[in-house]
């Protein structure tokens, strides 16, 4: 029988977090002083069907009819104990599926506090299957932990092989219409500037082009010859190289970019009017102009419509809206940008759209 080890770590404020498969440290922003991880090497790999059996259904009162895996139970007990809660009775857990995630399954988990008059809330994230073709999970976890260290996004509370437990953020996810709201758009622009200026580990080199080549190679390996021809995959390598040559300049501002800033990855606290960016699977160093351009393109999408795969470019932001967003982005650091500075960044955004 394979033994399962649970590791506890105290934060001692190292320069930045480096995560291996056997070790994690919790960010200083944790509400507890420890985080918990069940090592991947110390347990058999759980497939998704074992993690949440198909027979498990939701009762009308929201409680789980079935059992959670032992690895997750241990993480929840340890997380709860750090708050002074006793999470021994798994029947007392309330598990609520949350909608909107594209590459993961997410659940809100509640349990009664020690006082009994309030519920503790955490978010459970189950990693999606097959997503390794798009991003490296170890890199994503390292980014998540460093973001927590910087006070960005939810805090990491515990990990196990097929998922993690995160802080539950009391905020709402934006809608497609919210991106066109003047006030909310200005908040997003300022948060993007803050995000791009974060000190993150790794070389400040552009990842975009190699990532596109990796995705192309993955697509060609999966597609039958008919589809390779239909989608002209054999010609895309030359197109990627052409774009890289035309759009790469030494003067481009390189920052840590989200690279997937669609409305579902932006949360708004209605009381404080603060913005939180979530889901860092694709985050990396890139020219900030590319991240701004991608955000503008996301304004034409509605992933909750009957045709979420169809983009309506009639909804693309007009020049004045783009100019206002760029000016707010540059001015959010406290220094009003010059007209030339704003126009230069806007020009770079236009080039890569």
């Amino acid at each position: 029988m394979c033994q399962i080890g649970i590791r506890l770590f105290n934060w001692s404020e190292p320069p930045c977090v480096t995560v291996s498969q056997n070790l994690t440290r919790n960010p200083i922003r944790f509400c507890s002083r420890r985080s918990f991880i069940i090592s991947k090497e110390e347990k058999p790999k759980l497939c998704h069907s074992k993690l949440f059996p198909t027979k498990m259904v939701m009762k009308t009162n929201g409680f789980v009819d079935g059992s959670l895996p032992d690895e997750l139970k241990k993480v929840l007990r340890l997380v709860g104990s750090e708050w002074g809660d006793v999470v021994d009775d798994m029947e007392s857990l309330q598990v609520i599926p949350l909608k909107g995630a594209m590459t993961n399954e997410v659940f809100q988990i509640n349990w009664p506090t020690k006082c009994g008059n309030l519920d503790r809330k955490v978010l459970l994230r189950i990693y999606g299957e097959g997503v390794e073709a798009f991003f490296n999970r170890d890199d994503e976890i390292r980014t998540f932990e460093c973001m927590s260290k910087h006070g960005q996004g939810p805090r990491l509370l515990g990990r196990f092989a097929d998922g993690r437990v995160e802080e539950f953020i009391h905020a709402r996810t934006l809608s497609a219409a919210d991106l066109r709201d003047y006030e909310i758009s200005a908040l997003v622009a300022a948060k993007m500037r803050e995000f791009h200026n974060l000190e993150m580990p790794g070389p400040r080199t552009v990842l975009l082009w190699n990532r596109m080549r990796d995705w192309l190679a993955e697509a060609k390996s999966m597609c039958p010859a008919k589809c390779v021809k239909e989608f002209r995959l054999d010609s895309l390598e030359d197109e990627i190289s052409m774009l890289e040559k035309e759009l790469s300049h030494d003067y481009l501002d390189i920052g840590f970019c989200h690279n997937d800033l669609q409305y579902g990855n932006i949360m708004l606290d209605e009381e404080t009017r603060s913005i939180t960016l979530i889901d860092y699977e694709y985050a990396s160093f890139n020219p900030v102009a590319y991240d701004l351009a991608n955000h503008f393109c996301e304004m034409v999408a509605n992933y909750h419509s009957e045709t979420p795969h169809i983009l309506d470019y009639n909804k693309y932001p007009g020049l004045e809206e783009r100019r206002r967003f760029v000016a707010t982005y540059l001015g959010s650091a406290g220094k009003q940008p010059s007209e030339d500075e704003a126009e230069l960044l806007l020009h770079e955004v236009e080039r890569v759209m």
Side-chain angles (χ1 to χ4, degrees):
M1 180 68 68
C2 180
Q3 291 186 342
I4 298 170
I6 300 179
R7 303 170 184 254
L8 314 181
F9 301 96
N10 286 307
W11 180 258
S12 57
E13 220 170 339
C16 197
V17 180
T18 301
V19 181
S20 68
Q21 290 181 327
N22 288 316
L23 179 64
T24 184
R25 292 191 178 188
N26 62 310
I28 196 169
R29 189 167 167 258
F30 282 4
C31 54
S32 68
R33 295 296 294 174
R34 292 183 285 182
S35 65
F36 310 98
I37 175 174
I38 295 179
S39 174
K40 193 172 184 179
E41 281 75 17
E42 294 172 328
K43 61 176 290 300
K45 179 70 173 178
L46 287 174
C47 67
H48 183 267
S49 60
K50 291 181 180 178
L51 188 61
F52 280 101
T54 53
K55 68 177 183 179
M56 189 177 77
V57 297
M58 303 302 297
K59 291 183 177 179
T60 54
N61 63 2
F63 284 78
V64 178
D65 180 16
S67 61
L68 300 175
D70 290 340
E71 295 76 21
L72 176 55
K73 290 179 183 178
K74 291 183 179 182
V75 171
L76 292 174
R77 287 192 185 103
L78 288 167
V79 170
S81 69
E82 287 297 299
W83 286 317
D85 301 334
V86 178
V87 193
D88 284 335
D89 181 11
M90 290 297 146
E91 295 298 321
S92 68
L93 292 181
Q94 185 182 27
V95 181
I96 304 171
L98 302 178
K99 298 179 180 180
M102 295 185 181
T103 57
N104 306 286
E105 290 188 63
V106 290
F107 301 83
Q108 176 184 328
I109 297 187
N110 304 339
W111 65 78
T113 61
K114 192 174 182 179
C115 298
N117 58 342
L118 293 173
D119 278 347
R120 192 79 67 186
K121 297 180 181 179
V122 297
L123 185 136
L124 170 65
R125 184 179 301 274
I126 305 301
Y127 303 144
E129 296 181 355
V131 297
E132 293 79 8
F134 298 101
F135 59 86
N136 182 288
R137 179 62 71 183
D138 290 336
D139 289 345
E140 187 265 340
I141 292 172
R142 181 165 52 248
T143 298
F144 187 97
E145 292 194 331
C146 280
M147 285 293 167
S148 293
K149 177 180 180 290
H150 285 297
Q152 301 282 334
R155 294 167 286 191
L156 177 63
L157 302 178
R159 280 174 52 192
F160 57 101
D162 288 337
R164 61 178 178 247
V165 178
E166 305 172 9
E167 173 192 18
F168 188 87
I169 298 179
H170 296 273
R172 71 172 179 87
T173 303
L174 295 190
S175 66
D178 286 327
L179 295 184
R180 316 313 291 268
D181 180 276
Y182 177 85
E183 180 199 357
I184 294 176
S185 182
L187 294 173
V188 172
K191 176 56 73 171
M192 284 188 74
R193 179 70 163 181
E194 180 183 340
F195 193 96
H196 291 161
N197 288 337
L198 292 174
E199 291 294 329
M200 299 293 288
R204 298 178 69 87
T205 54
V206 176
L207 183 66
L208 172 67
W209 309 113
N210 286 338
R211 175 172 282 173
M212 291 177 67
R213 291 186 178 97
D214 289 343
W215 287 353
L216 176 59
E218 193 73 30
K220 291 173 72 173
S221 71
M222 292 180 172
C223 288
K226 178 182 178 181
C227 292
V228 170
K229 182 177 181 180
E230 180 180 356
F231 293 105
R232 299 187 299 115
L233 297 185
D234 285 330
S235 67
L236 289 185
E237 174 66 38
D238 290 339
E239 291 190 30
I240 292 172
S241 297
M242 180 270 292
L243 289 170
E244 181 179 18
K245 180 180 179 181
E246 290 293 324
L247 300 176
S248 298
H249 304 289
D250 292 338
Y251 60 81
L252 288 175
D253 182 18
I254 306 299
F256 195 76
C257 296
H258 187 282
N259 299 321
D260 188 25
L261 210 54
Q262 49 104 347
Y263 61 85
N265 288 335
I266 308 171
M267 302 190 74
L268 173 67
D269 186 318
E270 295 282 13
E271 292 184 7
T272 64
R273 307 305 289 174
S274 61
I275 290 286
T276 300
L277 306 184
I278 61 172
D279 291 0
Y280 316 122
E281 289 96 337
Y282 303 103
S284 67
F285 286 104
N286 271 324
V288 300
Y290 293 16
D291 215 18
L292 293 168
N294 179 71
H295 179 63
F296 291 159
C297 288
E298 291 289 358
M299 291 184 181
V300 310
N302 187 342
Y303 298 115
H304 293 84
S305 68
E306 293 183 357
T307 54
H309 59 292
I310 297 178
L311 305 181
D312 182 3
Y313 280 94
N314 291 321
K315 297 180 179 178
Y316 192 81
L319 178 59
E320 287 307 311
E321 187 175 358
R322 301 197 303 272
R323 183 173 283 147
R324 183 175 63 239
F325 190 96
V326 167
T328 303
Y329 170 88
L330 291 173
S332 62
K335 180 183 177 182
Q336 193 65 25
S338 67
E339 185 174 337
D340 288 344
E341 183 182 8
E343 287 301 317
L344 177 61
L345 179 55
L346 183 61
H347 174 70
E348 290 304 323
V349 171
E350 304 290 303
R351 279 172 54 84
V352 300
M353 286 189 303

